[in-house]
Amino acid sequence: MESDEEHNSESNNPETEVTFQSLGVVDVLCEACEQLKWKKPTAIQQEAIPIALKGRDIIGLAETGSGKTGAFAIPVLQALLKTPQRFFALVLTPTRELAFQIAEQFEALGSIMGVITAVIVGGIDMTTQNLMLSKKPHIIIATPGRLVDHLENTKGFNLRALKFLIMDEADRILDMDFEQEVDKILKAIPRERNTYLYSATMTQKVQKLQRASLSDPVKVEVSKKYQTVDKLQQHYLFIPLNHKDVYLVHVLNELPGDSIMVFCATCANTQRTAFLLRSLGFTAIPLHGKLGQAKRLGALQKFRSKTRSILIATDVASRGLDIPHVDVVINFDIPSNPKDYIHRVGRTARAGRGGKSITFVTQYDVELYQKIETLIGKKLPLYPTKTDEVMVLVDRVTEAQLFANKEMKEMEGKDRKRRHRNVDDEDTEEAKGVKNRFKRKKFKHK
């Protein structure tokens, strides 16, 4: 069912001061917003909350960092206050980190109400999660693959009484090949429910999902064109592929004391780059889908608390995660999807602060880079470097590369041993919903 209405943030009258109270939010939740220092509702919250409080389904299109979690959490908690019930709402999210972050916001907003949440993601023992589910939480925040595992295998667990389904970062859930899991979840929950679908982009897959899961929705859109914020200084750096590492080290040397995120295309390159930089004395920490859950949360925590100044990450960290104080974003590997560029550089220059981004472009990336410039509608200036100053670092970086490659081989050896011992490493990000299906197919053919 296509949406019958469309709301846009430009409809707000700037004359009137919008507050959570004026949107219809009850006092106890207004108080919680105050404690979280949410002074006034963001554009997406101003648009979505009143519609949600009227009981309508919502398609929310909003950029990363726009306050989406509050836009869906507040109406859910307000409905829970009216009709308290266990297994009240389910939030589906593409990554574990985002699941924990959403749970934190639900707990903070619902602390006065005594809200119980459960985070159901891979990388954590199923038995521990069975115990959490047996306590019948009000809100479940889950990655699709692991939730399906529980729906199929956990005795006594079902979501037949569910009142709310929220799909956050829906485009990314579908990009990660979780369609089959989402279909199973939709079959396991009641048709009579409220559904909120939030996505940064409206892809064909998301439109198909919208038709399958929402009833007469209202479309809320706060930003129609892909754009980067004005306070972000964006640059590119054209370099030969074989000197990428040298240029990275040079740029990092030029930015002492800054809090920096470096984006890589693969888990392996993320880990290798972290080894390389550490051996050169940088306080770098990796974040990627092959790390165990404790390490991933630990990496985020160290970066947030500024005990590590450089976070090397895959696109697992490009969206949704709220990491304040990022001064610089470096696209070490250019993103293959230009829209991911917007999400990556959106990690800096947040909430009115300034920020800087530098995108490395090799001879093989020119076409991808031109697509980014077309998407954002601007030509970026070249980041100034002096070749002779950069090349001074070649010997030291070559030595560090040898060290990083040796560390990678050792790590791969340990991983092979761990897999041989059959340690549960399901639902890592790059499993992308496929691993379990592959297992089931193999089992059927035996």
Side-chain angles (χ1 to χ4, degrees):
M1 175 78 71
E2 290 298 326
S3 68
D4 64 338
E5 292 171 44
E6 201 163 315
H7 278 244
N8 212 289
S9 63
E10 285 153 30
S11 63
N12 283 326
N13 179 357
E15 302 287 309
T16 53
E17 174 67 358
V18 182
T19 63
F20 285 104
Q21 203 162 17
S22 73
L23 297 179
V25 178
V26 293
D27 289 349
V28 67
L29 288 170
C30 286
E31 211 177 297
C33 292
E34 224 170 277
Q35 284 175 2
L36 285 174
K37 297 197 168 43
W38 294 0
K39 290 182 173 64
K40 67 177 228 160
T42 65
I44 189 72
Q45 291 164 0
Q46 290 180 35
E47 294 298 321
I49 290 172
I51 297 161
L53 293 178
K54 284 178 189 159
R56 298 290 298 272
D57 280 7
I58 287 176
I59 301 159
L61 295 179
E63 294 166 352
T64 181
S66 60
K68 285 181 296 175
T69 309
F72 60 72
I74 289 170
V76 165
L77 292 170
Q78 190 146 321
L80 181 64
L81 267 172
K82 276 187 197 162
T83 51
Q85 180 203 303
R86 300 304 176 124
F87 295 139
F88 188 73
L90 166 66
V91 184
L92 290 179
T93 140
T95 65
R96 305 168 183 181
E97 284 74 22
L98 192 49
F100 281 101
Q101 191 171 293
I102 291 168
E104 274 173 28
Q105 293 220 341
F106 264 103
E107 283 161 14
L109 282 166
S111 60
I112 309 172
M113 300 160 48
V115 164
I116 300 166
T117 66
V119 177
I120 303 299
V121 295
I124 292 169
D125 179 54
M126 286 279 282
T127 319
T128 309
Q129 292 178 347
N130 290 348
L131 197 63
M132 285 159 72
L133 292 172
S134 70
K135 290 178 181 165
K136 294 190 166 52
H138 302 106
I139 319 281
I140 295 172
I141 302 102
T143 46
R146 181 50 68 93
L147 185 73
V148 168
D149 284 348
H150 282 284
L151 285 168
E152 290 178 343
N153 304 311
T154 300
K155 216 175 167 183
F157 170 59
N158 70 70
L159 292 172
R160 288 194 287 268
L162 196 79
K163 293 287 183 278
F164 282 85
L165 169 67
I166 297 105
M167 287 175 275
D168 192 24
E169 305 274 12
D171 49 347
R172 188 113 177 267
I173 290 174
L174 299 172
D175 282 349
M176 287 168 65
D177 203 15
F178 278 128
E179 275 177 89
Q180 210 170 315
E181 283 80 356
V182 171
D183 286 345
K184 283 184 179 176
I185 292 162
L186 290 174
K187 286 190 180 94
I189 62 177
R191 277 173 178 271
E192 287 295 309
R193 62 169 196 268
N194 277 106
T195 307
Y196 305 147
L197 186 152
Y198 278 88
S199 183
T201 55
M202 182 49 88
T203 62
Q204 282 180 314
K205 282 181 176 179
V206 173
Q207 278 177 326
K208 190 176 146 196
L209 178 61
Q210 167 201 329
R211 287 193 285 272
S213 61
L214 281 86
S215 163
D216 190 23
V218 181
K219 188 175 178 184
V220 173
E221 189 161 9
V222 297
S223 176
K224 282 201 169 171
K225 73 175 193 290
Y226 295 101
Q227 58 192 34
T228 50
V229 297
D230 295 337
K231 289 198 175 180
L232 173 67
Q233 298 168 16
Q234 302 171 77
H235 307 266
Y236 79 96
L237 192 47
F238 191 64
I239 47 176
L241 180 67
N242 59 335
H243 286 146
K244 258 178 107 173
D245 287 344
V246 185
Y247 272 87
L248 178 64
V249 173
H250 170 75
V251 168
L252 293 174
N253 277 335
E254 298 277 291
L255 301 165
D258 279 349
S259 186
I260 301 166
M261 285 184 80
V262 179
F263 281 102
C264 296
T266 63
C267 296
N269 200 29
T270 303
Q271 191 63 53
R272 182 201 70 84
T273 308
F275 283 140
L276 175 108
L277 293 178
R278 278 182 192 167
S279 77
L280 290 165
F282 292 99
T283 58
I285 193 159
L287 174 65
H288 56 77
K290 277 188 176 168
L291 290 173
Q293 189 54 43
K295 278 189 178 163
R296 284 162 75 168
L297 289 173
L300 266 179
Q301 193 44 47
K302 282 174 184 162
F303 187 63
R304 276 188 182 133
S305 65
K306 298 187 181 179
T307 54
R308 296 288 184 281
S309 60
I310 302 166
L311 183 71
I312 323 271
T314 56
D315 281 312
V316 71
S318 71
R319 281 166 65 173
L321 296 185
D322 185 24
I323 307 166
H325 320 300
V326 178
D327 302 304
V328 185
V329 167
I330 296 174
N331 289 303
F332 184 55
D333 293 330
I334 201 162
S336 54
N337 182 342
K339 287 170 192 168
D340 286 333
Y341 172 84
I342 306 276
H343 298 303
R344 288 180 178 187
V345 300
R347 297 295 96 213
T348 185
R350 291 165 80 83
R353 293 170 82 241
K356 187 186 282 183
S357 73
I358 304 160
T359 298
F360 282 26
V361 184
T362 72
Q363 64 269 42
Y364 304 108
D365 305 323
V366 176
E367 202 181 323
L368 280 173
Y369 177 68
Q370 285 168 338
K371 283 181 183 170
I372 289 168
E373 287 197 326
T374 305
L375 182 74
I376 62 175
K378 58 172 87 166
K379 292 235 174 284
L380 302 186
L382 184 68
Y383 187 77
T385 53
K386 289 181 181 160
T387 310
D388 51 346
E389 285 178 15
V390 177
M391 290 302 126
V392 166
L393 297 163
V394 168
D395 291 347
R396 282 182 64 212
V397 172
T398 306
E399 210 175 293
Q401 285 170 331
L402 293 170
F403 170 81
N405 292 339
K406 182 170 155 278
E407 290 287 302
M408 286 297 285
K409 281 199 177 81
E410 276 179 28
M411 198 173 88
E412 280 159 19
K414 282 177 191 168
D415 280 351
R416 271 196 297 275
K417 277 181 192 164
R418 198 160 47 235
R419 279 199 296 277
H420 191 67
R421 289 202 308 269
N422 210 11
V423 169
D424 174 30
D425 194 26
E426 277 307 315
D427 204 30
T428 54
E429 194 212 356
E430 64 289 315
K432 296 195 173 180
V434 175
K435 245 193 246 176
N436 287 340
R437 291 208 286 282
F438 183 65
K439 274 186 180 170
R440 283 197 282 276
K441 278 179 191 164
K442 276 207 306 199
F443 182 71
K444 279 174 192 166
H445 292 143
K446 274 181 187 175

